[in-house]
Amino acid sequence: MKMISPRAWFRGWSLRTKFVLAITLLVAFVLLANGVVLSLEGSHRLREAIESRDRAFSTLAVTPICSGFVLYHDSGFLKFREILFRTVALNEDLLAVRVYDTSGRMLFDSRTVDLGRRDALDARGGAISHSAFLRALRSLDPTAWRTGDRRQHPLLIVVQPYIEAWGRHHLSAEFVYGYGSLRAGIHGIAWQLFWLSLGSLVLGGLFALLLARQSLAPLDRLAAGARALATGDLDHRIRLDTGDEFEVLADAFDRMAERLSHSIEGLEASNRALQEMDHRKNDLLANVGHELRTPLTAIRGYAEALSEGMLGSLTETQIKTFAAIERNAERLLAMIERMFRFAKLQQGDLRPHFQPFDLIDAAHQALAIVQLSVNDGPRLEEELGESLPPVWGDPDLIVQVLENLLTNALKFTPPEGRVMLRLLQTGEEVTVVVEDTGIGIAASERAKIFERYYQVDSSTRRKYSGMGLGLAIVFEILASHGRAVVVDSKEGQGTTFRFSLPLANAAGDAAVGVGT
Amino acid sequence: MKQTRLLIVDDEVDLLDMLRVVLDSNGFDVVTASSGMQALVLAAENPPDVILLDVMMGEMDGWEVLRLLKLDENTQEIPVIILSARTETHDKIRGLQEGAADYITKPFSVKELIERVGRLVEGGGG
């Protein structure tokens, strides 16, 4: 059996509903208690009042009835009946009248005439003993009993002596009263109480609703404020002026939002400053690259001319020395070239000039550049195919991508390993695959290798020289082509870089928007 | 055999010196100019066989010099090789469109330069 905990009952009820319910319940309880007290108290008083009225009525009614009985019972019964009816009509609760003499003999019973009242004559039953009744008949004072079935048919029995003008007492009358008017009275009170309670309840409910709306409205604004803050609207302020706890809460909230927006502003400012600095750094790189290039060209030119013997014959050692100078100048230039290119890429200056070109040509160019630096390193293999349809992209940039990927692969592959460049036509694209049997890249490093200046770990920096720009340039160039590089690697077994370019005839229309 | 006369224009004096020394020793008659204006004057005075022209120069850049050379009927026939640090294809294309005979990007190999100049002179002479 599924148990429902009390907490679960109220789940999903709004605070407002609970508030209204609580106040309404409170009002209902107060009214109920009030009603119970009032009706108990009211019925008691009413009963007293009715009984005292009935006793008084008995005192007044005994004389006309008994004297009428004496004068007219035997001779003019109709006259007696008229007196009886007139008297009885004055009290709606009077059910029966009987006349006794003081010896206890019943001389008249209204049961013999039809009073049109409820028959309750037997109700006296055994509640009153015969001797007590006889004593009452003989007494000069009236006697009263509450009798009958208390709950269903309560009765008031009054025995009233008839004392004649000259003081003789030989007749007494028994009056039997029901509590019909009490019942009606209580009924009236109950209805009054009911309507009053209902009115109060409705009024209380409305008041509770009003109060709930009034006092919980700030909560809605607090919630709205919290939502605004959660969705990042830091300028939203709640600004409550209720003077209660809500205001305290809202103030705290506003202060928090204020501080948050301040710190975010600070962050944004420093972020802007950083971007600015980055931009300036790229500017600097570009300028430095340019400034370095000219003197290096001079150095390299001299070294080349010297080592080639253009400026006169040299010794073997001198030739080697100048060749070394030339080689190093070339390396420096290549490095600057890369930095310069990357700085431009970062600034978005280097926009691809899309055109159809032959990827096999580009691959040959890249291989020619890379082969210069492969001496006794890993084997460089190629599988370029006979011919491919032209692809769509910037040939200069793609040569750079291939060069960087190959250089990278060679750098991280041991001399006995191999690096393979492959071109595959797949549908409307040509896929370029650079595969090596190198040291591989750990899964955790894979996302970072395209960050600039990133080296897989600082210890490799010694072993594998370089600036960490090569793959970043690859990433940037391919991004400018709307392409991505897929890296697949097993540590210790090798790495595969893969990217694709669309065929020129397929991309021609689609790439119009991408072009310069 | 008449020496090939070269006019080299670059505002980088060191590079200019290197080119003069190297090309001179390779049998060229080298004249240098360190500004566009000077280059135009020298070219007009004594038209060289080939002009090596740097693009990025201070006051008057290589493009301007090239345009003025091509406007003057005395100099418009002289083949011009653009020397530029700009490696982008569209720069090369622009150079060729403006009437340059060749476009060599810096850093270049002097051997390559000599080769290209030689080819240009042969082509022009033949």
Side-chain angles (χ1 to χ4, degrees):
Chain A
M1 189 179 132
K2 195 180 166 193
M3 290 290 289
I4 299 168
S5 75
R7 195 174 294 178
W9 295 349
F10 298 110
R11 262 186 75 92
W13 291 28
S14 75
L15 201 56
R16 185 168 301 165
T17 311
K18 290 179 199 169
F19 202 91
V20 170
L21 195 76
I23 291 189
T24 310
L25 275 176
L26 195 72
V27 169
F29 274 127
V30 168
L31 286 176
L32 191 70
N34 224 14
V36 168
V37 169
L38 271 181
S39 58
L40 283 179
E41 173 77 11
S43 70
H44 183 72
R45 276 166 192 263
L46 205 60
R47 177 190 287 265
E48 301 254 298
I50 285 168
E51 283 174 358
S52 97
R53 182 200 65 183
D54 289 346
R55 279 209 202 86
F57 182 80
S58 305
T59 314
L60 293 173
V62 73
T63 307
I65 289 170
C66 287
S67 63
F69 178 77
V70 171
L71 285 174
Y72 301 115
H73 184 262
D74 295 330
S75 53
F77 185 73
L78 282 176
K79 183 70 181 169
F80 171 65
R81 218 180 109 108
E82 192 192 326
I83 290 168
L84 185 70
F85 269 72
R86 206 179 291 153
T87 309
V88 167
L90 293 173
N91 191 324
E92 55 180 327
D93 284 346
L94 186 60
L95 299 178
V97 181
R98 290 174 210 133
V99 180
Y100 295 88
D101 65 13
T102 44
S103 66
R105 192 159 53 96
M106 186 167 70
L107 305 175
F108 170 74
D109 187 343
S110 65
R111 206 166 18 165
T112 57
V113 296
D114 185 16
L115 282 181
R117 298 282 161 90
R118 186 167 61 92
D119 187 16
L121 296 178
D122 296 330
R124 192 182 351 136
I128 306 161
S129 68
H130 183 70
S131 60
F133 194 70
L134 211 58
R135 246 196 328 275
L137 288 179
R138 285 173 187 162
S139 168
L140 287 175
D141 295 315
T143 313
W145 293 275
R146 279 186 193 136
T147 174
D149 177 355
R150 275 285 161 86
R151 189 147 302 181
Q152 290 296 317
H153 304 294
L155 294 174
L156 178 70
I157 293 173
V158 180
V159 174
Q160 185 71 37
Y162 170 57
I163 298 166
E164 284 163 82
W166 47 88
R168 191 173 67 134
H169 168 229
H170 78 110
L171 289 177
S172 284
E174 180 196 11
F175 295 87
V176 180
Y177 298 98
Y179 283 91
S181 60
L182 178 66
R183 208 172 276 273
I186 288 177
H187 204 65
I189 287 178
W191 273 112
Q192 264 175 11
L193 274 177
F194 173 75
W195 286 119
L196 213 67
S197 301
L198 199 71
S200 307
L201 211 59
V202 167
L203 233 74
L206 283 176
F207 180 68
L209 212 65
L210 216 70
L211 199 66
R213 177 169 298 179
Q214 184 73 23
S215 50
L216 294 183
L219 205 61
D220 288 344
R221 286 182 58 189
L222 273 170
R227 262 199 301 277
L229 199 62
T231 52
D233 179 8
L234 294 177
D235 296 330
H236 191 276
R237 296 286 177 275
I238 302 166
R239 287 208 184 83
L240 275 186
D241 187 22
T242 52
D244 57 9
E245 291 87 338
F246 283 125
E247 190 182 326
V248 176
L249 189 60
D251 276 355
F253 216 80
D254 283 350
R255 275 204 302 280
M256 187 180 83
E258 192 75 30
R259 291 188 54 181
L260 211 58
S261 97
H262 272 311
S263 46
I264 295 263
E265 267 167 31
L267 278 177
E268 275 171 356
S270 53
N271 198 18
R272 267 197 301 278
L274 278 175
Q275 276 175 358
E276 178 65 21
M277 269 170 67
D278 198 47
H279 199 72
R280 256 187 270 164
K281 191 210 65 196
N282 282 331
D283 271 353
L284 187 74
L285 271 181
N287 289 337
V288 166
H290 192 250
E291 292 299 316
L292 286 175
R293 194 178 285 174
T294 310
L296 272 169
T297 306
I299 292 173
R300 184 189 154 190
Y302 278 126
E304 188 187 357
L306 283 165
S307 68
E308 293 286 328
M310 291 177 187
L311 305 178
S313 56
L314 302 169
T315 66
E316 189 72 13
T317 321
Q318 282 170 327
I319 289 174
K320 271 191 184 164
T321 313
F322 286 123
I325 293 176
E326 189 196 344
R327 205 167 53 243
N328 281 291
E330 252 166 37
R331 273 182 62 189
L332 210 49
L333 276 166
M335 218 180 275
I336 290 163
E337 190 58 35
R338 214 166 291 153
M339 228 164 67
F340 182 60
R341 215 171 242 271
F342 187 70
K344 292 185 96 178
L345 272 176
Q346 284 281 297
Q347 280 171 317
D349 283 353
L350 204 62
R351 298 225 180 82
H353 301 285
F354 288 100
Q355 52 187 283
F357 70 97
D358 186 0
L359 206 45
I360 296 179
D361 260 6
H364 279 306
Q365 280 181 48
L367 284 166
I369 298 166
V370 173
Q371 243 140 10
L372 291 174
S373 59
V374 185
N375 298 321
D376 49 355
R379 247 185 8 261
L380 187 55
E381 293 175 0
E382 55 182 67
E383 200 175 279
L384 306 179
E386 288 294 302
S387 71
L388 285 171
V391 292
W392 186 251
D394 184 323
D396 285 352
L397 294 179
I398 295 303
V399 168
Q400 175 83 56
V401 165
L402 294 173
E403 184 192 332
N404 289 10
L405 284 177
L406 288 170
T407 308
N408 182 74
L410 288 169
K411 203 183 337 179
F412 294 104
T413 304
E416 63 276 14
R418 68 182 175 86
V419 172
M420 163 84 104
L421 172 63
R422 272 193 297 168
L423 301 179
L424 310 161
Q425 190 184 345
T426 47
E428 296 288 278
E429 292 180 336
V430 175
T431 302
V432 179
V433 184
V434 176
E435 207 174 27
D436 66 50
T437 57
I439 57 171
I441 308 160
S444 57
E445 305 281 350
R446 235 163 269 170
K448 295 189 210 151
I449 56 171
F450 295 107
E451 289 172 13
R452 61 190 145 147
Y453 310 125
Y454 184 80
Q455 307 265 353
V456 167
D457 73 61
S458 45
S459 67
T460 60
R461 197 168 296 164
R462 293 209 187 97
K463 196 168 165 191
Y464 306 101
S465 63
M467 289 192 295
L469 273 180
L471 291 181
I473 291 173
V474 167
F475 183 79
E476 292 284 340
I477 290 177
L478 288 177
S480 74
H481 281 65
R483 299 272 145 175
V485 203
V486 181
V487 189
D488 202 4
S489 181
K490 277 205 182 96
E491 256 189 295
Q493 293 186 25
T495 307
T496 304
F497 287 92
R498 204 185 301 260
F499 72 91
S500 59
L501 289 173
L503 293 184
N505 57 8
D509 298 331
V512 168
V514 186
T516 59
Chain B
M1 174 188 149
K2 183 182 168 282
Q3 266 191 326
T4 304
R5 187 178 161 79
L6 291 181
L7 172 58
I8 310 177
V9 192
D10 200 324
D11 60 349
E12 296 285 342
V13 180
D14 287 332
L15 192 69
L16 206 56
D17 282 345
M18 186 274 281
L19 287 173
R20 184 173 46 209
V21 170
V22 173
L23 292 171
D24 206 47
S25 64
N26 274 277
F28 292 98
D29 176 13
V30 181
V31 180
T32 60
S34 59
S35 75
M37 203 44 113
Q38 196 186 352
L40 289 174
V41 172
L42 287 174
E45 270 177 9
N46 191 356
D49 297 319
V50 176
I51 297 175
L52 302 182
L53 180 59
D54 179 34
V55 173
M56 307 255 280
M57 287 191 297
E59 287 166 29
M60 183 191 283
D61 73 6
W63 301 123
E64 188 67 29
V65 176
L66 180 60
R67 196 155 42 246
L68 291 173
L69 283 173
K70 292 296 163 193
L71 281 177
D72 187 339
E73 58 181 28
N74 289 327
T75 55
Q76 66 185 359
E77 295 300 325
I78 306 171
V80 176
I81 298 178
I82 298 277
L83 301 179
S84 171
R86 304 181 71 93
T87 56
E88 281 99 280
T89 312
H90 66 116
D91 286 311
K92 295 179 191 171
I93 290 169
R94 180 181 172 190
L96 299 176
Q97 277 172 348
E98 300 258 350
D102 206 345
Y103 189 104
I104 298 179
T105 57
K106 291 180 186 177
F108 47 79
S109 152
V110 283
K111 268 194 292 181
E112 183 189 350
L113 184 65
I114 290 164
E115 186 66 29
R116 292 208 194 192
V117 171
R119 199 174 290 178
L120 212 55
V121 173
E122 275 168 30

